[in-house]
Amino acid sequence: MSQDVSPFQAIAVSRLAHELQAAGRSIIHMEFGQPSTGAPKRAVETAHKVLDAEAMGYWESPLLKARICQHYADTYGVEVTPRRIAITCGASPALVLALSSAFAPGDRIALARPGYVAYRNTIRALNLEPLEIECGEDTRFQLTAAQIAALDPAPAGLIIASPANPTGTILPEAEFAAIVAVCAARGIRIISDEIYHGLSWGPRTASVLEHTPQAFVINSFSKYFSMAGWRLGWIVSPDDMASRVAAYIGNMFLTAPSLSQHAGLVAMDCRDELEGHVQTYRHNRDLMLAALPALGLARIAPPDGAFYIYADISRFTDDSLGFCMQLLKDTGVATAPGVDFDPVNGHKFMRFSFAVSTPEVEDALARIAPWFAAQAAR
């Protein structure tokens, strides 16, 4: 029997936000990590043409798989064959595929805490056991090779994310290599979530495939490619697991939407437009980093990449969910409570997404500044 999983509390915040919006309130949505921009223009134009010309059906695009292989060669200098790639309905099914195909019920899967809420809950739903490792300011909220080496017994698997959600932190390349080496020595299978690659504000984002071909890689068109609603992603499997993953996806998910695959292929060559979005996020990040300390949010995780600010709110509250709900009701700014990402210490953190437009960031900061000042005065 599957284990119970905790609710995704940011969804509750978002539900209230949409109810308030439907009632006429002005709402700024900073609760989810989804770009406010749409798919690249040429990708949308392609989708229109395909809708007029094809009935479509169950299909996995060989051209898209080949283009993803080219992406790994161009970006990371590694060779990936098309048989190792499966096209998925976003990153979430890719995570299910990696966990269900590589591990047996009861296996322990290590992961960082704080971390993306669905890691922990998907592990549990698949009758695996999450082994959360506390990561704080001393490790820049990222796992270290020493932490993995100290686990006794060794877990069957490890999920790493760089850049990470909710913190945006990036693993230093030397530490990344050391983690891979420890996992290889101890027989730990790695799943690397690389969904935020392309969104870096300084440090380079390395792929695990630069260090080993034996890891799973999860990626998506939802973040950098600005196609969250198109539900398109991919998984790169180790060569010895590719046939099993293909069998699993065929039985559990069939194929990703044909229309999305046509659009995604074109999107991969719309870099000028997409890099314009990245510059918007960079500017939004700068605005928030400049403004938040004056609000009393001086302790934040280093936002090396992605589009998040993970802030310590312990001076204001020990109930991050209630805090985010009240902030939404009073200001119309929706954010994510830290308890989603860390069930132990997350009650004193909150997450902002700056993937919205720059005017929305400016408006949000103007709305929340007096609200935070009022909280500090209590």
Side-chain angles (χ1 to χ4, degrees):
M1 181 177 178
S2 297
Q3 303 178 61
D4 289 335
V5 299
S6 303
F8 195 166
Q9 298 295 354
I11 293 177
V13 174
S14 188
R15 186 180 299 115
L16 175 60
H18 283 284
E19 289 173 358
L20 294 173
Q21 198 166 9
R25 289 282 302 277
S26 170
I27 303 297
I28 300 174
H29 291 279
M30 306 178 81
E31 73 271 33
F32 289 145
Q34 60 181 15
S36 59
T37 50
K41 292 179 182 177
R42 286 203 297 115
V44 174
E45 291 170 358
T46 296
H48 281 293
K49 292 176 182 177
V50 171
L51 280 171
D52 290 336
E54 296 185 21
M56 294 178 286
Y58 301 130
W59 176 65
E60 188 176 54
S61 170
L63 291 177
L64 180 56
K65 293 175 72 171
R67 182 63 184 83
I68 292 171
C69 290
Q70 180 186 333
H71 166 72
Y72 281 98
D74 294 345
T75 307
Y76 308 107
V78 297
E79 181 181 355
V80 175
T81 57
R83 73 176 296 272
R84 292 175 57 193
I85 295 171
I87 308 300
T88 62
C89 298
S92 297
L95 177 64
V96 171
L97 286 166
L99 290 169
S100 60
S101 65
F103 304 106
D107 279 352
R108 296 193 310 161
I109 312 299
L111 63 157
R113 178 171 54 77
Y116 179 44
V117 58
Y119 297 154
R120 177 175 69 250
N121 286 333
T122 303
I123 289 168
R124 285 180 174 151
L126 294 172
N127 285 312
L128 303 168
E129 181 183 346
L131 176 61
E132 295 187 290
I133 302 170
E134 183 172 350
C135 299
E137 293 181 65
D138 58 329
T139 66
R140 302 180 75 256
F141 297 91
Q142 277 282 7
L143 292 165
T144 67
Q147 287 173 313
I148 306 306
L151 297 176
D152 186 21
L158 170 71
I159 296 176
I160 54 177
S162 177
N165 179 7
T167 60
T169 55
I170 292 176
L171 275 168
E173 291 204 44
E175 193 67 48
F176 203 158
I179 288 173
V180 173
V182 168
C183 289
R186 305 195 72 193
I188 302 170
R189 178 81 79 176
I190 296 175
I191 300 173
S192 180
D193 184 349
E194 301 181 2
I195 191 173
Y196 295 103
H197 278 214
L199 303 173
S200 171
W201 317 119
R204 178 177 178 269
T205 51
S207 173
V208 71
L209 298 179
E210 296 174 54
H211 302 289
T212 176
Q214 296 303 314
F216 286 93
V217 173
I218 293 169
N219 211 323
S220 172
F221 284 80
S222 294
K223 309 301 181 181
Y224 174 80
F225 294 100
S226 197
M227 295 177 66
W230 296 74
R231 308 314 304 133
L232 185 66
W234 72 85
I235 181 171
V236 183
S237 303
D239 191 67
D240 64 320
M241 296 294 296
S243 295
R244 178 180 289 187
V245 169
Y248 272 53
I249 191 172
N251 282 281
M252 290 195 290
F253 304 112
L254 290 177
T255 64
S258 297
L259 184 66
S260 298
Q261 294 182 66
H262 284 291
L265 176 62
V266 174
M268 295 193 77
D269 292 311
C270 294
R271 297 288 174 164
D272 288 346
E273 182 177 347
L274 294 168
E275 285 300 313
H277 299 337
V278 172
Q279 293 311 310
T280 296
Y281 306 146
R282 184 187 298 275
H283 182 56
N284 292 350
R285 172 183 178 270
D286 292 344
L287 287 173
M288 296 198 69
L289 291 179
L292 291 182
L295 275 59
L297 302 177
R299 297 182 63 189
I300 64 172
D304 302 326
F307 30 55
Y308 302 121
I309 300 287
Y310 193 61
D312 186 333
I313 53 173
S314 57
R315 65 173 291 188
F316 300 107
T317 185
D318 61 359
D319 175 14
S320 60
L321 177 57
F323 190 80
C324 290
M325 286 291 198
Q326 196 61 51
L327 176 67
L328 170 61
K329 293 174 184 176
D330 292 347
T331 70
V333 177
T335 55
V339 288
D340 270 338
F341 314 103
D342 184 344
V344 178
N345 299 314
H347 58 278
K348 60 180 182 179
F349 286 87
M350 68 185 301
R351 190 197 72 179
F352 298 88
S353 168
F354 52 84
V356 295
S357 68
T358 296
E360 286 177 305
V361 169
E362 293 170 338
D363 189 3
L365 290 171
R367 294 187 195 191
I368 68 176
W371 191 88
F372 272 91
Q375 308 309 305
R378 289 183 177 179

